[in-house]
Amino acid sequence: MEKKNLNKIKKNADLILASNVFAHSDNLKEMASCMIELLGKKGTIIIEVQYLLNTLKDLTFDNIYHEHYNYWSLTSLNNFFNQLDVKIFKVEKIKTHGGSIRVYIKKGKKVKIEKSVKELIIEEEKFGIKKYKTYQDFGNKINQIRENIRKNIKKLKKNKKQIIGYGAPAKATTALNYFNIKDEIDFIVEDNKLKHGKFIPGVNIPILPKNVIGNKKSTILVLAWNFFNEIKKNNSKISNDFINIKSLEKI
């Protein structure tokens, strides 16, 4: 939303929600300023974002892709909103997208800051969220994962006639291109009909409907790993062998 359009909207909101959209904006100050201007004196802004600490700890690098302009820790969010004269007064960890945080924001200098904010900032400090070495170590670990994944998929391919990927989320594009996985996966099946007949960018693996699977002997490699349990449970008719791609990260 541009500021010039704010005059058309009532500026006394009790609640403004921004769930998994904050990382998609390349003009964050304007976006945040608009929310703050719309907010009433006693109102609350609630923002959910993927949590950088989970990305670093769990090595979920495949959550890094083109739609995301930024990746947030509580430390960085706190610094950002302090510049706009509003306060994060509460934070919660949630499980969405492999680990996210939900922050609560209010106007006013006398806002009471809950202990959850201080505790999580201390946790981030101890982890090394501000240290360059933390990110160097992350990169080195991701390189090792790449080697492990390639070795394990090659072993799998030798033992199995057909490997079918399940799910074509954006994270699959990041992972498959980084791992340079092409011919090892015969094709990918996807529930979203809009993706059928398309290809994974870069590696050009075709995306097909599930009804092309002829028998239950194929190995299903679940690329949408955050939904592994649901996918395995709901698709027992297409295969007896489901593997979470995350399980191949270790030798």
Side-chain angles (χ1 to χ4, degrees):
M1 178 183 293
E2 295 181 359
K3 281 202 167 186
K4 64 183 180 181
N5 296 323
L6 285 180
N7 292 330
K8 303 175 184 178
I9 301 173
K10 184 179 178 181
K11 301 178 184 179
N12 193 28
D14 292 322
L15 181 63
I16 297 175
L17 300 175
S19 297
N20 299 303
V21 296
F22 205 64
H24 297 73
S25 174
D26 60 347
N27 195 351
L28 281 172
K29 281 196 173 181
E30 183 176 36
M31 178 181 173
S33 295
C34 288
M35 289 193 291
I36 292 165
E37 192 169 338
L38 290 171
L39 193 68
K41 289 183 179 179
K42 295 183 179 180
T44 301
I45 297 170
I46 301 177
I47 295 173
E48 289 182 15
V49 291
Q50 275 183 231
Y51 190 30
L52 178 61
L53 199 65
N54 282 110
T55 300
L56 296 172
K57 279 183 175 181
D58 302 333
L59 305 175
T60 51
F61 75 95
D62 50 348
N63 278 326
I64 299 171
Y65 48 83
H66 68 289
E67 291 179 2
H68 297 162
Y69 286 94
N70 35 72
Y71 302 86
W72 293 98
S73 64
L74 179 59
T75 299
S76 58
L77 280 170
N78 207 40
N79 290 338
F80 177 76
F81 283 107
N82 282 343
Q83 294 176 41
L84 300 175
D85 294 324
V86 290
K87 298 292 182 183
I88 294 176
F89 69 92
K90 179 182 176 181
V91 61
E92 298 171 338
K93 291 182 179 180
I94 55 178
K95 295 181 179 180
T96 311
H97 296 299
S100 300
I101 53 173
R102 180 184 293 141
V103 298
Y104 297 75
I105 301 158
K106 279 186 178 293
K107 292 179 176 178
K109 296 181 179 179
K110 295 183 179 181
V111 176
K112 183 179 179 182
I113 311 299
E114 297 187 11
K115 65 178 183 178
S116 59
V117 176
K118 183 178 180 180
E119 288 174 350
L120 194 53
I121 286 178
I122 290 172
E123 182 182 333
E124 291 181 353
E125 188 77 29
K126 288 181 178 178
F127 180 77
I129 202 75
K130 297 178 182 178
K131 295 179 179 178
Y132 181 59
K133 187 177 184 301
T134 299
Y135 302 91
Q136 285 181 309
D137 291 344
F138 174 74
N140 292 334
K141 290 173 183 176
I142 295 305
N143 288 336
Q144 185 59 57
I145 283 177
R146 181 180 186 274
E147 296 305 313
N148 294 349
I149 287 277
R150 287 191 57 77
K151 288 178 182 177
N152 285 328
I153 285 189
K154 284 181 179 180
K155 288 179 184 178
L156 198 61
K157 190 64 176 176
K158 284 182 180 180
N159 298 326
K160 305 288 182 178
K161 291 182 179 180
Q162 189 176 58
I163 298 176
I164 301 169
Y166 196 111
K171 61 167 59 74
T173 299
T174 298
L176 293 175
N177 276 275
Y178 180 65
F179 299 147
N180 194 28
I181 299 298
K182 297 179 181 178
D183 300 332
E184 293 86 350
I185 295 177
D186 295 86
F187 57 89
I188 289 171
V189 294
E190 166 65 49
D191 293 330
N192 185 347
K193 294 179 180 179
L194 295 175
K195 296 182 181 181
H196 296 167
K198 306 296 193 302
F199 296 81
I200 296 291
V203 291
N204 295 322
I205 301 172
I207 304 169
L208 304 173
K210 289 187 290 187
N211 61 15
V212 302
I213 299 175
N215 57 65
K216 298 179 70 172
K217 295 180 180 180
S218 301
T219 293
I220 306 296
L221 183 64
V222 178
L223 305 173
W225 51 262
N226 47 322
F227 295 109
F228 176 77
N229 292 332
E230 294 91 333
I231 289 170
K232 183 178 180 180
K233 179 181 177 181
N234 295 331
N235 292 280
S236 58
K237 292 182 180 180
I238 65 173
S239 178
N240 296 317
D241 187 18
F242 287 81
I243 297 176
N244 190 333
I245 190 170
K246 297 290 286 183
S247 69
L248 302 181
E249 292 182 354
K250 297 180 179 179
I251 295 295

